[in-house]
Amino acid sequence: MLLTASLCNISLSWVNGVKGEMVEPKVLPPLSSVEELGTGNVGSWRAHMNAMQTVVAQGLTSALIFEDDIDWDIRLKAQLYDTAKAFRMLTRPPVSDSPVETNSASIPARINSGELLDLNFHELPAESTPPDSPYSDDWDILWLGYCHGPWSPAPGGQSKDQVVQLTDATVPMKYGLGDYPPQTRVWKYVSDPICSLGYAVSQRGARNLLYEAGLVSFDKAFDILLLEFCQRYNCLLTQPQLFNHWRKPGKKSCDSDISPAGDGPELQQDWTPTIRQSARLNMKKLLKGDTNYDDQLPD
């Protein structure tokens, strides 16, 4: 993880993992049970709460939290630039006298309950007042890495808008989003992801999450707590995800300390779902300065 990040010019600050057996039951929120949750879930929860404490204690404006077995595309920084632009649009203050243009003809309209608006990424209106944060000033969680793959057309959160990019070369051709054409990327409010592989928190979000999951209730796995948190707070995501599990060769049971997948067929080579130019799989080329990167999910 450290080497991969270094080769992509990403600096990391480490938060130690926690063994659930080392967490005193008395420090858990009310009605929490180590026996019911399992020590794996308890350790994961404690580590994420420690990360939230660090963000709050240091007064960080925002922080990106990684689990240490993730992977990303070599073009991550360009992806984050586009993501910031889309999130700023989704969280813009409503302007009653300047409505956003309706759907582009090249993007299929969606009709569910009420008016649902797709905003063409390449036709977003100019911003009148730049926010202090590149990702906007009104969010709690940006859920950028998760393991729930199927497309969910229902937008979450308080907004029914979503930003759509029809031609994103970082999206695998085989990755489908409902009726949208191949290689479509969507940014929207959180609907139903699971797995906390990679997410950003604002200072406001860290405080709220530390309160809700650290003091009020811890009765299920942390990622489910995060999903429930996002059903009440301001959380956005991009689909497909920017971060995903890196799967190394060997038994599936090695993939998780929380819920081992058993001893099914062994993986013969490492790979990362939904990530095309994998940073981990291109590590040797990055070390050599070879820019002819391997694409594990070519068109």
Side-chain angles (χ1 to χ4, degrees):
M1 178 72 167
L2 176 63
L3 181 56
T4 307
S6 175
L7 291 170
C8 295
N9 295 316
I10 297 173
S11 299
L12 301 176
S13 297
W14 293 92
V15 176
N16 291 332
V18 178
K19 288 185 175 293
E21 298 87 345
M22 304 301 293
V23 178
E24 286 287 341
K26 66 179 69 175
V27 307
L28 299 178
L31 306 181
S32 302
S33 169
V34 176
E35 291 74 19
E36 293 180 6
L37 291 164
T39 56
N41 278 320
V42 171
S44 172
W45 165 84
R46 182 67 266 171
H48 282 282
M49 291 300 97
N50 289 347
M52 295 307 105
Q53 286 183 331
T54 299
V55 174
V56 172
Q58 295 185 6
L60 302 179
T61 303
S62 62
L64 181 56
I65 313 297
F66 289 154
E67 294 189 354
D68 65 2
D69 57 352
I70 65 162
D71 193 9
W72 55 81
D73 195 287
I74 290 171
R75 298 162 288 187
L76 174 63
K77 291 191 175 181
Q79 291 177 317
L80 290 174
Y81 182 88
D82 289 348
T83 294
K85 179 180 178 181
F87 286 166
R88 291 196 303 270
M89 185 65 203
L90 289 174
T91 58
R92 71 198 183 286
V95 181
S96 58
D97 58 347
S98 301
V100 177
E101 293 296 325
T102 55
N103 296 6
S104 165
S106 61
I107 296 180
R110 297 176 297 110
I111 301 178
N112 193 353
S113 55
E115 181 182 358
L116 303 176
L117 184 63
D118 282 351
L119 307 173
N120 190 327
F121 176 80
H122 297 293
E123 299 174 4
L124 296 180
E127 300 169 82
S128 56
T129 304
D132 292 331
S133 164
Y135 297 92
S136 91
D137 299 328
D138 185 22
W139 58 275
D140 294 291
I141 301 290
L142 308 180
W143 208 327
L144 306 178
Y146 46 89
C147 56
H148 184 40
W151 164 245
S152 173
Q158 58 185 308
S159 171
K160 296 178 181 178
D161 296 355
Q162 59 183 21
V163 175
V164 177
Q165 184 178 14
L166 294 179
T167 52
D168 185 342
T170 69
V171 176
M173 184 67 73
K174 297 180 180 179
Y175 188 90
L177 295 180
D179 295 330
Y180 294 104
Q183 294 193 300
T184 294
R185 178 173 296 283
V186 171
W187 294 270
K188 62 176 186 173
Y189 280 82
V190 163
S191 50
D192 59 351
I194 56 173
C195 301
S196 49
L197 308 182
Y199 62 96
V201 292
S202 63
Q203 175 66 209
R204 183 185 75 188
R207 291 177 179 182
N208 286 329
L209 186 56
L210 192 58
Y211 172 75
E212 296 283 2
L215 296 177
V216 174
S217 176
F218 170 40
D219 57 356
K220 50 185 68 71
F222 174 75
D223 61 326
I224 306 303
L225 290 176
L226 191 62
L227 175 58
E228 292 181 352
F229 174 89
C230 283
Q231 291 168 349
R232 303 189 303 275
Y233 289 87
N234 230 19
C235 305
L236 300 100
L237 60 71
T238 179
Q239 196 163 0
Q241 56 271 73
L242 300 185
F243 306 102
N244 212 334
H245 272 302
W246 170 64
R247 305 295 189 184
K248 63 182 179 181
K251 295 182 178 180
K252 291 184 178 180
S253 58
C254 298
D255 287 339
S256 175
D257 293 328
I258 299 175
S259 53
D263 293 323
E266 292 190 9
L267 191 63
Q268 299 303 310
Q269 65 180 50
D270 52 349
W271 79 298
T272 307
T274 71
I275 304 298
R276 294 194 62 163
Q277 293 183 5
S278 158
R280 289 197 187 243
L281 273 62
N282 279 286
M283 195 177 301
K284 183 175 291 187
K285 290 193 172 184
L286 288 168
L287 285 166
K288 292 182 176 181
D290 182 355
T291 58
N292 184 28
Y293 302 123
D294 295 327
D295 186 343
Q296 64 168 349
L297 296 167
D299 296 339

